Amino acid sequence: MVTSNRDLANWVDEVARLTRPDRVHWCDGSEDENRELISLMLGTGDLIELNQQTHPGCYLHRSDPSDVARVEHLTFVCTQDRDSAGPNNNWMDPGEARDKMKDLFSACMEGRTMYVLPYCMGPIASPLSRCGVEITDSPYVVANMRMMTRMGAPALERIEREGGFVKGLHSTGELDPERRFIVHFPDDLEIHSYGSGYGGNALLGKKCHALRIASYQARTEGWLAEHMLIVGVENPKGETHYIAGAFPSACGKTNLAMLIPPESYSGWKVWTIGDDICWMRIGDDGRLWAINPEAGFFGVAPGTSAKTNPNALAMLDRDAIFTNVAVTADNQPWWEGKDGQVPVKNWKGEDWAPGNGPAAHPNSRFTVPIAQCPSYSEQAEAPGGVPISAIIFGGRRASLVPLVLESKSWRHGVLLGASMASETTAAATGAVGQVRRDPMAMKPFCGYNFGDYWRHWLSFEGKASQLPRIFHVNWFRKNDEGRFMWPGFGENMRVIDWILRRCNDAVGARETAIGRLPDPADLNLSGIRTSPDALEELLAVDASAWRKELEEIGRYLDQFDDRTPPALRREQRAVADALSD
Ligand code: GTP
Ligand code: SPV
Ligand code: MN
């Protein structure tokens, strides 16, 4: 027996009897182990060496062309009753789901190695962290989880000390989209994932554990597990304020998490704590304290350039895994938006020439340890987390939604989060560019009924004495020619600056029916090219269009029947009424 935890040892035996692997390997997370796995994958073609002169320690993985993104229609939450999962989730009866998954897993690891990887979500020493064990037959998953989580011996030690852990069983199966399911059993802290080797479908610590299972736990235990980046913003006086931000998949979290302020902000610095997931708890001081449960980035490659995100480029020239990017003639990784080079092979490994469509897959990604980021903050390891001053919600909205607005209260802020909508992106399979409701950027990730989730959010008002202020931003407004009206990226600092001044009561705001907006004169726009007309439009409130939006929001909230908290409906009606005045 490799562990003193009986439950873990029994579970591993049971899974091995079901899946019948040739070998079982317990991962210790060591350098040697990683080197062996990489050389194994270079042998099988699972990994392809990239140019080791320009990119030492970097490898390319080409996934199956049918397996390139999360699959929301194949993702299930199996609570005892359907209502607990809510209309926001696909639901299956837990018994039925277990039978179905058992059939799929039966003998699926014959001829393969079964890896047992203990991991910790969050700093090993943090009381806010939670552990899990993923069993997988994919060495690519092991190599990624080693960067994305604290994987190996220290995590196993913590599990043996504490006892409890989340069980994640994964097999790539045959990569047949007809035999692909990602299934959660929140009551049993279990995840079963079959038939995909990609991202959030397969790296079970990420969305499956740290969001779907954790959000369910967080509700009963009184904390929050959110799809949010965490950054520290340091001003020239050396004071740092922390912000958490929820944007839907591929809507700007990684970019905001490592923003470099524009020239006119000399003396300001943005520190990265996390780019995707945030666990928050009320501290003794009544503030919300946050940790990033992850240890790495699984970031969107396309659009990452020296102009848009220089910090990301700087961390990607060594020790990274690229998935589904293109390559140049000298075998460097390439994706759309990466300037100064041309690709010769697309993400499938086929010859590529201009006019052949995108060379990198739109959801191509990089995996890299967070500590490699030049703006990495040591506070990412702080066991107690960092105190959050502001929460920002945001989405991709080509029209209507202003550049920034502040909520009138916590309750109104929860409505802003609950009524978020965004254009769909390539992060999930299905149509791209369609506006859909994505409350708190958690539509694909909330492990229970949204009505109960909003109630949980509202409950913080009575429990925490110093709640963060809540804001909504939109970097993605487009003009009549279809061009972005706001320069975005580093220039978003100007909006962050206004947000922080609001938190310090250092600037006023314009009260409107939908919330508090900046007076254009209060935004620092020195050195920016946005025209006054464009700015006026970015900060305008079109009352008749908003009346329609509020009607839609009302209909959306109705879908959750009596699970929707009455206080949220009252907020929605109050905004609708204010718009009619
Ligand atoms: P997930 O990892 O899927 O959760 O995505 P994310 O929210 O971290 O999104 P990310 O920061 O990776 O951005 C996704 C895409 O949006 C990239 O192509 C970026 O270049 C682009 N993007 C990010 N920020 C901005 C912005 O301020 N303006 C514009 N126009 N595009 C942006
Ligand atoms: C997202 O889709 O929000 C991601 C990528 O962060 S994945 O890990 O594939 O879910
Ligand atoms: Mn994400």
Side-chain angles (χ1 to χ4, degrees):
M1 193 166 73
V2 203
T3 176
S4 61
N5 184 308
R6 292 288 293 268
D7 184 27
L8 174 54
N10 290 341
W11 177 57
V12 170
D13 281 349
E14 187 193 310
V15 169
R17 276 197 302 276
L18 173 68
T19 61
R20 295 211 223 116
D22 282 10
R23 280 168 301 277
V24 178
H25 175 92
W26 288 70
C27 297
D28 61 15
S30 65
E31 281 289 345
D32 282 353
E33 179 182 79
N34 190 49
R35 222 172 294 128
E36 268 173 43
L37 276 173
I38 301 245
S39 83
L40 175 93
M41 286 188 277
L42 288 171
T44 55
D46 274 341
L47 287 186
I48 297 160
E49 196 167 70
L50 289 164
N51 186 324
Q52 296 297 299
Q53 265 74 51
T54 57
H55 290 75
C58 288
Y59 303 94
L60 167 65
H61 173 73
R62 292 192 180 119
S63 76
D64 188 278
S66 79
D67 184 32
V68 293
R70 283 185 295 100
V71 280
E72 294 177 9
H73 62 296
L74 303 174
T75 300
F76 290 80
V77 168
C78 304
T79 41
Q80 281 307 323
D81 64 305
R82 184 188 289 267
D83 253 8
S84 304
N88 46 303
N89 281 300
N90 300 311
W91 179 83
M92 226 190 291
D93 171 78
E96 197 184 305
R98 280 186 187 279
D99 288 347
K100 186 188 188 81
M101 297 310 284
K102 201 168 173 184
D103 281 350
L104 291 169
F105 279 115
S106 179
C108 72
M109 295 190 193
E110 269 174 3
R112 301 182 187 182
T113 299
M114 178 174 116
Y115 299 94
V116 180
L117 46 125
Y119 62 85
C120 180
M121 299 310 291
I124 286 279
S126 171
L128 309 185
S129 301
R130 295 299 172 93
C131 291
V133 176
E134 177 166 355
I135 296 180
T136 179
D137 54 12
S138 161
Y140 166 81
V141 165
V142 181
N144 276 270
M145 283 287 283
R146 183 170 181 268
M147 292 194 265
M148 296 305 297
T149 72
R150 282 92 171 162
M151 182 195 98
L156 183 57
E157 275 163 34
R158 182 165 166 160
I159 289 169
E160 290 178 341
R161 219 172 36 242
E162 284 185 340
F165 63 96
V166 169
K167 294 173 180 154
L169 172 54
H170 168 254
S171 171
T172 50
E174 313 81 40
L175 296 174
D176 174 358
E178 300 297 316
R179 287 164 56 83
R180 179 174 294 160
F181 292 98
I182 294 92
V183 178
H184 305 72
F185 304 96
D187 291 308
D188 307 315
L189 306 184
E190 259 185 79
I191 305 152
H192 290 180
S193 167
Y194 189 89
S196 165
Y198 198 89
N201 302 334
L203 313 175
L204 301 187
K206 198 174 177 57
K207 308 302 191 179
C208 300
H209 177 166
L211 289 177
R212 296 193 194 98
I213 299 282
S215 62
Y216 189 90
Q217 286 182 297
R219 180 197 167 207
T220 40
E221 297 169 9
W223 50 286
L224 291 165
E226 300 298 325
H227 189 203
M228 291 179 178
L229 70 106
I230 311 168
V231 280
V233 184
E234 185 180 336
N235 67 22
K237 286 187 266 177
E239 300 157 343
T240 303
H241 290 276
Y242 293 91
I243 297 177
F247 303 80
S249 302
C251 290
K253 289 182 301 301
T254 302
N255 278 266
L256 186 56
M258 51 192 79
L259 177 153
I260 295 183
E263 263 172 38
S264 54
Y265 276 83
S266 89
W268 290 77
K269 174 105 180 70
V270 170
W271 297 99
T272 309
I273 305 282
D275 83 324
D276 200 50
I277 302 181
C278 167
W279 287 355
M280 282 184 285
R281 239 174 232 280
I282 303 169
D284 295 336
D285 58 359
R287 291 192 284 179
L288 285 187
W289 290 75
I291 63 164
N292 170 15
E294 300 191 283
F297 304 117
F298 183 64
V300 175
T304 308
S305 76
K307 269 197 226 97
T308 59
N309 192 349
N311 275 333
L313 268 201
M315 70 183 174
L316 294 177
D317 55 14
R318 69 180 170 97
D319 301 318
I321 295 178
F322 295 87
T323 301
N324 293 344
V325 300
V327 289
T328 63
D330 65 347
N331 208 23
Q332 295 190 48
W334 191 91
W335 48 82
E336 274 61 32
K338 193 164 183 229
D339 19 44
Q341 290 168 317
V342 278
V344 296
K345 283 205 190 313
N346 72 8
W347 61 279
K348 294 183 195 168
E350 301 159 346
D351 289 342
W352 184 89
N356 283 6
H361 188 277
N363 190 38
S364 55
R365 300 237 167 198
F366 52 78
T367 317
V368 66
I370 173 171
Q372 262 175 238
C373 184
S375 56
Y376 168 74
S377 167
E378 303 267 325
Q379 292 302 310
E381 283 293 333
V386 295
I388 299 298
S389 301
I391 289 175
I392 307 181
F393 295 118
R396 278 181 192 262
R397 294 296 295 269
S399 60
L400 185 70
V401 180
L403 179 63
V404 57
L405 78 150
E406 183 191 346
S407 71
K408 300 178 232 182
S409 62
W410 178 260
R411 245 181 258 187
H412 178 235
V414 175
L415 177 70
L416 287 183
S419 55
M420 264 171 74
S422 192
E423 292 156 23
T424 49
T425 65
T429 55
V432 167
Q434 293 186 348
V435 177
R436 69 159 180 183
R437 297 283 152 205
D438 192 349
M440 282 84 170
M442 287 286 277
K443 166 68 188 76
F445 309 120
C446 184
Y448 62 102
N449 191 314
F450 262 153
D452 299 337
Y453 172 72
W454 299 324
R455 196 176 299 263
H456 182 48
W457 262 85
L458 289 171
S459 76
F460 280 76
E461 194 169 38
K463 289 189 293 202
S465 55
Q466 293 192 68
L467 283 168
R469 298 234 200 157
I470 299 180
F471 297 82
H472 192 290
V473 301
N474 179 18
W475 314 141
F476 298 95
R477 275 289 280 274
K478 286 185 175 165
N479 63 17
D480 295 342
E481 285 125 52
R483 293 230 181 87
F484 289 119
M485 293 168 69
W486 175 250
F489 304 104
E491 306 296 348
N492 294 334
M493 182 64 210
R494 301 166 191 279
V495 173
I496 300 298
D497 174 17
W498 185 79
I499 286 174
L500 288 177
R501 276 184 287 146
R502 285 296 301 164
C503 292
N504 293 328
D505 293 317
V507 67
R510 208 154 47 89
E511 302 280 348
T512 78
I514 60 166
R516 300 172 178 153
L517 274 85
D519 185 329
D522 287 332
L523 287 178
N524 174 356
L525 298 171
S526 71
I528 206 174
R529 277 184 307 166
T530 309
S531 73
D533 283 355
L535 199 72
E536 193 174 313
E537 214 180 316
L538 285 167
L539 296 174
V541 179
D542 176 344
S544 80
W546 271 104
R547 275 195 290 275
K548 279 204 203 85
E549 179 81 359
L550 262 292
E551 273 168 33
E552 254 184 54
I553 292 168
R555 279 196 294 275
Y556 179 71
L557 297 180
D558 281 346
Q559 286 179 23
F560 298 86
D561 295 322
D562 55 358
R563 296 260 182 169
T564 302
L568 202 60
R569 288 171 186 269
R570 279 199 298 277
E571 282 298 318
Q572 178 265 337
R573 277 196 299 271
V575 176
D577 289 350
L579 282 161
S580 310
D581 290 346

